[in-house]
Amino acid sequence: HEFVSRRDRPLITDSGGFQVFSLAYGSVHEELSTGGELKRAKGSSKNKTSHTNGGGSASHSPPPVKVTEEGVLFRSYRDGRKFLLTPESTIQAQKAFGADIIIPLDELPPYHIDPQVLLESVERTHRWEARSLNEHLKDVKEQAMYCVIHGGMDRGLRKKSMDYLTSLPFDGYAIGGSLGKNGDELMELLDWMMPLLNENAEGSDVDRKSKPRHLLGIADEPSILGAVKNGID
């Protein structure tokens, strides 16, 4: 709080999972895996031939991220050092920072993904979040923890994730993972999801409507206004 001059206001922190998985998917992964070839190609408009090593193919680095049941092993793009991020270690770090609201470690698969791979990712994330919650409950310290509901654009997996995670004693609900390829898909997802979060799951007495909801990774004004209208806090 003191470092960011937010002494009298709540502070929310994330697990670092988004930053780690940005090394595995999308433009950051492409840039790292080609050894900077993309950046050099974009910066050299006159030279239409890509840089190669020894006149052959472009240099490719080994994958910077490895996902296991234990957590995420990632390699520094600076010096190659390896770091293991686990559900427990991310909670310990956020507690040490003095965060008021803590987000557990979750896997962030891309928008385009095989359905079976997405299912495995969601189930692994559920196990990680349960481990995170157990670590948090060892010493709550007047700190809160939100779960992160996943499932991508698959409504069946979204409901499965919602029902399982809201059955656990999290203090609030965050919506994460792939939220669509554009604002229209995001709003369609929220139009469908938010009424379900206002109802208790079948056979559960958890009052889901009473808990705060947070939308992860969205910062543009139209999406924020639309999300608030849908009941996002």
Side-chain angles (χ1 to χ4, degrees), residues 74-85:
F74 68 100
R75 177 175 48 81
S76 170
Y77 67 91
R78 287 176 171 267
D79 56 17
R81 285 190 299 162
K82 293 181 179 180
F83 300 88
L84 178 63
L85 207 61

Side-chain angles (χ1 to χ4, degrees), residues 156-167:
L157 284 182
R158 280 283 176 185
K159 188 175 188 307
K160 176 180 180 177
S161 185
M162 191 186 317
D163 289 346
Y164 171 69
L165 292 172
T166 59
S167 73

